[in-house]
Amino acid sequence: MSSHGEQEIRERTTTLIDQVGADAGQVEFRSAQWDAGLAMVQYPEGKGGLEAPPKLQSVVQDELRAAGVRYDSMVINPIGIGMGLPTVLTYGSDEIHDKHLKRIFTGEDIWCQMFSEPSHGSDVAGLASRAVRDGDEWIVNGQKVWTSLAHYSAYGMLLVRTDPDVPKHKGLSYFIVDMKSPGIEIRPLYQITGDAEFNEVFFNDVRIPHENLLGAVGDGWRVATTTLMNERVALGGSSAPRGSGTIAALTSLWNKRGPELPEPQHSIMRDRVSRLWIESEILRLTTIRARANATVGNPGPEGSVGKLASAELNQRIWNTTMDLLGPEGFLHEPGYPLDRSAGASSMSLSKSFLRSQANTIEGGTSDIMRNILGERVLGLPGDVRVDKAVPWNEIPSS
Ligand SMILES: Cc1cc2nc3c(=O)[nH]c(=O)nc-3n(C[C@H](O)[C@H](O)[C@H](O)COP(=O)(O)OP(=O)(O)OC[C@H]3O[C@@H](n4cnc5c(N)ncnc54)[C@H](O)[C@@H]3O)c2cc1C
């Protein structure tokens, strides 16, 4: 790793802002940010980074925020940037890097993740979609579900079974898929919020070039683990400024409604809001500490701490917000916009409450996070796994 320091990164960022302009368009600004090595400072030079310590990315973000640059990776291309970038960087060839990395960061190509299937969410390693080799191509058949943003995506990360005769974790392979390939059918699914954020994706004899394989044939579980570890950090690793994010919605509502509450509701609610503010601050500081200790490379199982804590805290904050709103919280906007909301800041309070129900499911449920932390961080006895050593095609299925 090179010896870039905080001051140098700060100066490089202000130079970037001076040269490109804080009000430049998304693709123009982020393209220049990538070329300057300030997209992911820990990435290699020439590939969006400077081989600097990962914690220095927050210096870039602070400077961008202060200058009024508002492009947020988690809004622009959450799956592409949160999970696609690190997976492609880790397992892709130089040609694949050149084709995809920068366009993922600029948001020119939206990406989706096609792991879950109707009977295989938590047990994703048991998935049934098949890919069969045909010369320089693979032919894919099967179905994915809950595929966020598939209806907007240029590319997808696909996990499929290439060998049904070996135990489930060993027979998987991982491909980059052009989402416009013939034979892919995408059907949006409506959520409780009224948005269609995710989809069913059907594969009917879809042909994927062999060169789109990430990792070796049969090594898909290892590649998928990289994606999943990064997903948990992307979902649970936000370190927005103190008092911002979800807790800001609650404190702002409290400031308006709190003074009008009669006793004892006022004291009880003040206690609940204060506790949640403190918990948010603890989580924020824990995330900053984790980032300061992060080394170059992909995160490990400890990334599940932030995912688990933020998902459950988020739900508690929105529950309290609904209690403070009272009957008004039952009012929702009409309509089913077939769209994806740009984030909590643009959603109504009641819709944000509904959306938060997914937090403890998406990216792995809270039960699965507890299993991972118990087994892989705390070293507790493992979950019961009777099918781990059995060839996949001998595992009973419904
Ligand atoms: C908003 C949203 C977006 C999503 N986006 C994507 C996406 O883009 N791509 C994608 O591939 N998937 C996506 N998913 C799917 C998500 O990863 C799965 O829903 C999740 O992993 C749970 O799987 P499941 O729904 O099949 O539930 P199941 O696995 O059937 O779980 C049902 C219940 O059993 C519990 N359970 C299961 N196994 C265990 C165990 N071993 N120990 C203890 N408890 C257990 C679970 O915690 C849960 O409470 C998304 C989901 C949501 C809600």
Side-chain angles (χ1 to χ4, degrees):
M1 184 177 304
S2 64
S3 57
H4 298 286
E6 183 175 331
Q7 187 54 29
E8 186 207 329
I9 297 288
R10 205 173 290 286
E11 284 166 12
R12 282 177 183 253
T13 311
T14 48
T15 304
L16 167 76
I17 296 166
D18 289 345
Q19 285 174 350
V20 190
D23 54 357
Q26 175 187 311
V27 173
E28 185 193 356
F29 191 92
R30 289 174 73 87
S31 184
Q33 186 180 348
W34 182 269
D35 292 341
L38 298 169
M40 302 280 165
V41 294
Q42 73 276 24
Y43 280 19
E45 294 197 23
K47 297 187 179 181
L50 296 165
E51 291 174 52
K55 65 180 178 185
L56 293 181
Q57 189 63 40
S58 62
V59 175
V60 178
Q61 301 315 126
D62 289 347
E63 289 298 324
L64 295 183
R65 204 178 294 121
V69 180
R70 296 272 170 248
Y71 302 123
D72 178 350
S73 295
M74 285 307 283
V75 174
I76 291 170
N77 195 1
I79 295 171
I81 295 170
M83 296 125 78
L85 272 187
T87 308
V88 171
L89 180 73
T90 306
Y91 296 99
S93 60
D94 282 339
E95 291 76 42
I96 288 182
H97 288 171
D98 291 346
K99 183 173 176 187
H100 292 297
L101 290 177
K102 186 172 172 180
R103 290 178 65 86
I104 293 175
F105 182 74
T106 60
E108 286 165 278
D109 291 338
I110 305 296
W111 278 49
C112 63
Q113 171 209 17
M114 295 177 287
F115 287 11
S116 302
E117 298 187 0
S119 298
H120 301 286
S122 301
D123 178 31
V124 70
L127 60 79
S129 290
R130 288 291 316 276
V132 176
R133 187 140 188 192
D134 182 28
D136 287 340
E137 294 181 319
W138 291 82
I139 302 173
V140 179
N141 283 284
Q143 185 204 338
K144 297 291 172 177
V145 74
W146 320 128
T147 314
S148 302
L149 302 179
H151 48 329
Y152 295 130
S153 291
Y155 292 94
M157 295 166 265
L158 176 69
L159 190 62
V160 278
R161 189 156 305 282
T162 44
D163 186 351
D165 299 323
V166 294
K168 60 182 183 178
H169 292 89
K170 298 191 189 326
L172 299 169
S173 299
Y174 194 119
F175 294 91
I176 297 173
V177 185
D178 180 342
M179 294 301 286
K180 301 287 176 290
S181 306
I184 295 185
E185 188 188 342
I186 299 168
R187 295 189 198 159
L189 291 166
Y190 292 105
Q191 292 161 252
I192 193 174
T193 53
D195 293 339
E197 185 181 351
F198 50 31
N199 303 267
E200 294 175 296
V201 181
F202 295 87
F203 290 81
N204 298 305
D205 290 331
V206 175
R207 288 183 169 268
I208 303 176
H210 180 71
E211 68 208 31
N212 285 19
L213 180 74
L214 287 184
V217 174
D219 205 19
W221 184 248
R222 194 160 63 98
V223 186
T225 304
T226 300
T227 308
L228 291 169
M229 297 287 188
N230 279 287
E231 178 174 29
R232 282 149 202 168
V233 170
L235 289 172
S238 162
S239 56
R242 172 184 287 178
S244 69
T246 314
I247 193 64
L250 176 59
T251 49
S252 131
L253 183 68
W254 165 255
N255 288 334
K256 281 189 221 133
R257 301 277 174 101
E260 294 163 14
L261 287 176
E263 289 297 348
Q265 285 99 316
H266 178 268
S267 298
I268 293 168
M269 204 43 96
R270 188 185 55 189
D271 196 42
R272 284 176 67 186
V273 174
S274 311
R275 274 171 194 269
L276 290 168
W277 194 92
I278 293 166
E279 282 184 58
S280 298
E281 188 56 8
I282 291 171
L283 180 59
R284 191 181 76 85
L285 295 174
T286 305
T287 307
I288 291 174
R289 208 162 44 131
R291 195 160 289 169
N293 290 334
T295 48
V296 173
N298 287 300
E302 66 286 348
S304 297
V305 173
K307 156 70 172 99
L308 174 64
S310 68
E312 300 199 342
L313 176 60
N314 218 25
Q315 290 183 348
R316 285 202 298 281
I317 292 174
W318 289 119
N319 287 346
T320 303
T321 306
M322 287 301 102
D323 288 348
L324 201 49
L325 273 179
E328 203 186 311
F330 290 106
L331 299 175
H332 297 286
E333 309 94 333
Y336 292 90
L338 194 70
D339 204 352
R340 175 176 188 271
S341 304
S345 57
S346 67
M347 279 193 228
S348 69
L349 298 178
S350 53
K351 195 163 167 176
S352 298
F353 161 74
L354 293 177
R355 178 60 182 80
S356 73
Q357 305 311 305
N359 294 159
T360 46
I361 305 172
E362 60 194 330
T365 69
S366 288
D367 300 317
I368 297 301
M369 294 307 112
R370 288 190 168 87
N371 279 354
I372 292 170
L373 291 168
E375 291 173 26
R376 301 197 42 205
V377 177
L378 302 176
L380 298 173
D383 199 7
V384 179
R385 295 186 179 90
V386 289
D387 57 3
K388 204 174 167 194
V390 181
W392 178 81
N393 55 11
E394 291 173 21
I395 300 171
S397 65
S398 54

